[in-house]
Amino acid sequence: MTAVPLGMPAFPRAAESAVGDPVLRGNLRHATHTIRAKRARAVAELDDWARLRAAGAAVKDRTLRHLGHYLEQLEASVTAAGGQVHWAADAAEANRIVTGLVRATGEREVVKVKSMATQEIGLNEALTAAGITAYETDLAELIVQLGDDRPSHILVPAIHRNRGEIRDIFLRTMARWGRPAPDGLTDDPAQLAEAARLHLREKFLRAKVAVSGANFMVAETGTLVVVESEGNGRMCLTLPETLISVVGLEKVVPTWRDLEVFLQLLPRSSTAERMNPYTSMWTGTTAGDGPGAFHLVLLDNGRTDALADQVGRQALRCIRCSACLNVCPVYERAGGHAYGSAYPGPIGAILTPQLRGTATALDASLPYASSLCGACYEVCPVAIDIPEVLVHLRERVVQGGAVTRQGARVTIRPAKGHAAERAAMRAARWAFQHPRALRAAERLASRTRAAHPSRLPSPGPAGAWSRGRDLPAVPAEPFRDWWQRTRGGRQEGTR
Amino acid sequence: MRVALFITCVNDALHPDTGRAVVRLLERLGVRVEFPAAQTCCGQMQYNTGYRHESEPLLRRFAEVFAGYDAVVAPSGSCAAMVRDAYPRIGARAAAEGRGGRLAELAASVAPKVFELSEFLVDVLGVVDVGAYFPHTVAYHPTCHGLRLLGLGDRPLRLLRAVRGLTLVELPGAEECCGFGGTFSVKNPAVSVAMGRDKVAGARASGAEVLCAADNSCLTHIGATASRLGGGPRMLHLAEILARTEADGPALAAPARPSRTEGGVQ
């Protein structure tokens, strides 16, 4: 995975600046609440949703258990259909392969279908370094690219921008990238969409090379599938001469029949649509129809290591619908950038530390970027128990232990900065194992309660708590003392 | 049926009124409740923060302390969920790692016996009208663990609707997390406070005099946020509403929690 942008702060600090930005907060609140309500309605229409969800999880789990088998089948099918398969162990190798393939065509520009995998590996930056310009064609990705910004949502990368901001970006930078924005552009959505259409049409008609990802790969036929709402992806997938698809290993499904499940789960979970507007499927090459050359770059980049983690591997079921982002109270307030990777929100909080490890301060803070409210698990169409994985990864952060890195079993040390916390947890555990000591501590707190302040300066947990909240008052008498005082003779089970 | 009260460490130290209310309520309903004094904490804070090993001895203690009882009542959705949902996971993990001795067995023995208060009233005792009187406007906050891990559903609402004199009003954004989340509240204070403020805004907009929940940790966070913002509805645990009868009269003459003076509804 690409390195975190230099100087990226750990999650709590990055979130703090987002929380303090009222425009961002407003944009995110409006967008996430709108889409979560729509999704709930779309899902409620199906009376077999729970069974579909279980089926989606089961298909993914079974495929992951036999991943090697299905990937080999996929490779054979793609090759037989006239495509070429490349295996990339990490981001650097994937970028090297794609850059080499583009160079071999003699072209200096590519059009891109929105793709999380290429964001994950930082492909655009790698292409730029090789003198190749990548043009994003998804409307939201275009807004991000023109704004010299970073995506902040899996499905709606420009969710943090409002219409006024988008108009300003179009007026300011479109001309630098190609066809300028029309004069007198307003923030009317139809006008903004038309400006993007005109701007992008030039690129579609000119480009000889396209780069895409895929939502699914069907092993039995070597077919790749992209689901999208705008049709720009289909333009990229059909018009150019060369198509390069970069896809994570976990996107393979065994058969076409499995698509039946996912093509119901995905649109309703992501865009709250009953059926996906554009579903494009391509299988190798066909003379006189579509790209004459097709390359599939199969991306590992930490996935087989994640697969070795029995609790964490369920993150690989993810179909990138982003329903978990849209219901997450933390994402809503912290924004996507705070997560410091291509995958923000609850799924990012578990996927990123698995793909990238927990060595950096940011990656070690991601499993804590949740109140464990469970709303993400409730909406996940493939039933990823995100809270369970978060707690599991927290354990990895504070206790260290055995993990798989680049195929080898290694023991990692606890992350730095948890020594005081660990000592406090141990002390608490000790007190909870010694009820007499606990009672003495409670009594002491009660007797001195008149002297307790309502806020304390940072640092420390009490300081962190009392930055925006008063410290709770301590009662005159703990419950267990009241019980003993009033019902001392009935104190069963004492030891 | 031998019934034990698991008061939980937070209630024991910070909200004894809730425990007193549970005892009073259950005794009024004819349940002889016992309080094993060797009980301490379920270990949720340790487990949820990543210190699974530190939570294991607390699981063991919990299972041993409550071994002789048919039912364990806890006035806390999240602590009940810890025992019911997390204990079996902790036991299974320890077994998979070849550690923990009888931990999985202990978890399996105690988990099904633990009930959150509203579950115990509605499912075990089979009562909805507990004979309570509370002449005030109340909004109910369904805490995340009660809502999603225990599936309390409308049990607390049915109990509240049966309380004489009580007017139940809707809480805007009821199913959204209040932002407490145990150590989340100190590890991510900015986001936690922002979530708490939205919850306070919802509680104020509801027009309720009292915000009720089945978990004092969430109420402590919401109340402490409201207090810093200059006040809001009074925070009251479900048990403290259900325990009151007509003989007690109106509740809100007493000072509101979480003030710096002592509360005390009972």
Side-chain angles (χ1 to χ4, degrees):
Chain A
M1 228 161 159
T2 40
V4 181
L6 282 179
M8 172 62 76
F11 183 85
R13 253 178 304 143
E16 191 173 348
S17 64
V19 166
D21 180 343
V23 176
L24 177 66
R25 285 274 300 278
N27 295 348
L28 284 168
R29 183 176 171 83
H30 175 72
T32 56
H33 281 250
T34 304
I35 195 164
R36 85 170 66 155
K38 279 190 190 166
R39 179 211 155 269
R41 280 197 298 273
V43 164
E45 286 179 351
L46 295 187
D47 54 13
D48 63 345
W49 184 258
R51 278 159 54 209
L52 271 174
R53 182 181 190 239
V59 170
K60 282 282 182 183
D61 278 354
R62 181 164 48 82
T63 312
L64 289 168
R65 272 201 301 278
H66 309 286
L67 190 61
H69 166 76
Y70 289 116
L71 288 173
E72 281 172 25
Q73 190 188 2
L74 176 78
E75 180 177 32
S77 307
V78 170
T79 310
Q84 208 180 327
V85 176
H86 311 261
W87 298 80
D90 56 21
E93 190 173 9
N95 287 331
R96 210 159 48 233
I97 292 167
V98 178
T99 307
L101 290 170
V102 178
R103 277 202 173 130
T105 66
E107 295 295 318
R108 309 293 281 178
E109 57 182 32
V110 301
V111 284
K112 279 192 69 209
V113 186
K114 178 181 171 331
S115 141
M116 296 308 297
T118 60
Q119 262 174 39
E120 175 189 322
I121 61 175
L123 179 65
N124 289 10
E125 293 78 2
L127 289 172
T128 304
I132 300 162
T133 309
Y135 295 110
E136 293 291 349
T137 67
D138 171 82
L139 177 55
E141 289 288 1
L142 175 70
I143 294 163
V144 168
Q145 186 171 47
L146 293 174
D148 196 21
D149 197 356
R150 282 178 296 126
S152 67
H153 188 280
I154 288 174
L155 186 77
V156 197
I159 196 168
H160 55 291
R161 298 293 197 185
N162 61 38
R163 282 154 36 185
E165 291 173 298
I166 293 166
R167 182 207 46 208
D168 295 345
I169 290 169
F170 280 8
L171 286 170
R172 198 173 66 241
T173 61
M174 243 179 192
R176 209 189 308 152
W177 287 82
R179 180 174 173 142
D183 291 335
L185 180 68
T186 72
D187 67 356
D188 172 50
Q191 278 200 30
L192 294 173
E194 184 61 14
R197 256 165 74 90
L198 294 169
H199 180 82
L200 289 170
R201 189 144 297 244
E202 276 187 3
K203 310 252 185 299
F204 294 136
L205 295 176
R206 197 174 66 207
K208 300 283 190 288
V209 182
V211 175
S212 86
N215 295 90
F216 306 100
M217 306 184 286
V218 184
E220 65 177 352
T221 53
T223 304
L224 271 67
V225 185
V226 157
V227 294
E228 44 141 359
S229 301
E230 297 167 8
N232 57 320
R234 181 165 293 178
M235 300 285 273
C236 296
L237 295 167
T238 49
L239 291 175
E241 293 164 6
T242 300
L243 173 60
I244 304 164
S245 299
V246 183
V247 190
L249 301 180
E250 82 283 15
K251 295 291 178 93
V252 68
V253 294
T255 67
W256 271 73
R257 204 172 158 185
D258 299 317
L259 293 177
E260 172 201 10
V261 175
F262 296 110
L263 293 182
Q264 293 182 76
L265 288 173
L266 182 52
R268 284 185 199 255
S269 300
S270 59
T271 48
E273 286 166 308
R274 293 174 179 145
M275 187 181 171
N276 200 68
Y278 289 85
T279 303
S280 304
M281 300 175 168
W282 63 105
T283 310
T285 55
T286 306
D289 182 14
F294 169 57
H295 298 273
L296 171 60
V297 182
L298 286 173
L299 178 69
D300 186 326
N301 205 32
R303 284 163 175 75
T304 52
D305 289 345
L307 196 56
D309 179 348
Q310 286 188 9
V311 178
R313 69 167 59 138
Q314 56 186 306
L316 297 177
R317 285 185 207 148
C318 177
I319 55 174
R320 311 284 188 259
C321 72
S322 72
C324 64
L325 277 64
N326 299 327
V327 294
C328 179
V330 177
Y331 174 85
E332 180 190 324
R333 288 158 183 95
H337 292 157
Y339 294 81
S341 94
Y343 305 106
I347 187 63
I350 61 168
L351 191 57
T352 304
Q354 290 192 79
L355 297 180
R356 218 156 63 175
T358 48
T360 69
L362 171 66
D363 293 341
S365 73
L366 288 177
Y368 293 96
S370 166
S371 63
L372 302 181
C373 82
C376 48
Y377 177 34
E378 195 173 59
V379 298
C380 177
V382 286
I384 302 169
D385 192 341
I386 295 177
E388 179 191 32
V389 183
L390 285 165
V391 169
H392 168 71
L393 292 171
R394 289 176 184 190
E395 201 181 307
R396 182 173 298 170
V397 168
V398 298
Q399 295 190 344
V403 297
T404 304
R405 284 271 158 262
Q406 291 165 343
R409 203 74 180 148
V410 295
T411 301
I412 58 164
R413 295 163 61 84
K416 285 185 184 132
H418 291 266
E421 179 185 277
R422 191 176 303 111
M425 290 290 172
R426 285 198 181 139
R429 190 255 288 149
W430 183 87
F432 289 137
Q433 280 178 287
H434 296 83
R436 284 209 179 86
L438 179 66
R439 192 151 122 193
E442 282 175 0
R443 276 191 187 149
L444 181 65
S446 286
R447 282 182 193 150
T448 56
R449 72 188 202 284
H452 295 186
S454 68
R455 54 179 95 177
L456 283 170
S458 295
W465 172 276
S466 60
R467 274 169 61 198
R469 293 155 290 208
D470 287 340
L471 291 168
V474 176
E477 183 183 47
F479 175 82
R480 62 181 66 231
D481 282 6
W482 171 81
W483 178 275
Q484 197 186 23
R485 184 165 57 77
T486 58
R487 336 218 153 189
R490 262 186 51 195
Q491 200 168 302
E492 292 89 351
T494 312
R495 50 181 83 183
Chain B
M1 184 170 63
R2 283 193 79 195
V3 178
L5 169 64
F6 171 47
I7 186 64
T8 82
C9 59
V10 168
N11 285 326
D12 181 22
L14 294 176
H15 303 290
D17 290 341
T18 297
R20 287 150 67 166
V22 174
V23 173
R24 186 182 179 204
L25 172 65
L26 292 180
E27 289 181 345
R28 194 170 76 218
L29 295 170
V31 178
R32 185 165 177 267
V33 59
E34 298 175 29
F35 179 76
Q39 63 175 279
T40 54
C41 166
C42 64
Q44 186 186 181
M45 178 183 70
Q46 288 85 347
Y47 177 69
N48 278 355
T49 313
Y51 298 87
R52 175 166 54 91
H53 293 177
E54 301 295 330
S55 70
E56 288 174 355
L58 300 177
L59 186 170
R60 195 181 305 275
R61 158 175 289 274
F62 187 96
E64 285 167 359
V65 165
F66 292 107
Y69 294 93
D70 303 303
V72 181
V73 183
S76 161
S78 75
C79 303
M82 173 68 186
V83 178
R84 286 238 297 271
D85 184 71
Y87 275 15
R89 294 173 195 254
I90 294 169
R93 290 283 287 163
E97 290 165 7
R99 300 182 305 103
R102 293 169 54 239
L103 217 52
E105 205 180 302
L106 287 171
S109 72
V110 77
K113 296 196 301 199
V114 171
F115 298 92
E116 184 278 326
L117 177 66
S118 69
E119 289 178 317
F120 184 75
L121 294 173
V122 175
D123 299 354
V124 180
L125 298 186
V127 293
V128 171
D129 183 347
V130 297
Y133 170 75
F134 193 79
H136 302 287
T137 339
V138 175
Y140 180 73
H141 167 56
T143 60
C144 298
H145 288 180
L147 185 69
R148 303 196 181 88
L149 281 179
L150 294 180
L152 294 184
D154 66 350
R155 289 179 187 83
L157 296 174
R158 286 161 64 197
L159 290 161
L160 287 171
R161 282 195 199 105
V163 173
R164 272 169 282 288
L166 188 148
T167 310
L168 194 62
V169 296
E170 202 177 322
L171 176 69
E175 298 196 348
E176 280 179 45
C177 177
C178 71
F180 173 61
T183 48
F184 173 78
S185 63
V186 292
K187 282 179 176 284
N188 282 283
V191 177
S192 170
V193 168
M195 289 163 69
R197 286 184 174 174
D198 287 350
K199 188 57 77 177
V200 170
R204 283 176 175 171
S206 75
E209 296 164 86
V210 169
L211 183 68
C212 168
D215 222 313
N216 270 326
S217 37
C218 308
L219 287 179
T220 301
H221 164 71
I222 302 166
T225 309
S227 169
R228 182 62 61 88
L229 292 174
R234 178 184 179 132
M235 306 291 139
L236 268 187
H237 191 282
L238 177 66
E240 296 181 51
I241 291 177
L242 298 182
R244 295 188 68 84
T245 61
E246 307 214 13
D248 299 316
L252 295 185
R257 280 192 323 181
S259 68
R260 303 303 299 168
T261 52
E262 189 189 351
V265 177
Q266 203 179 329

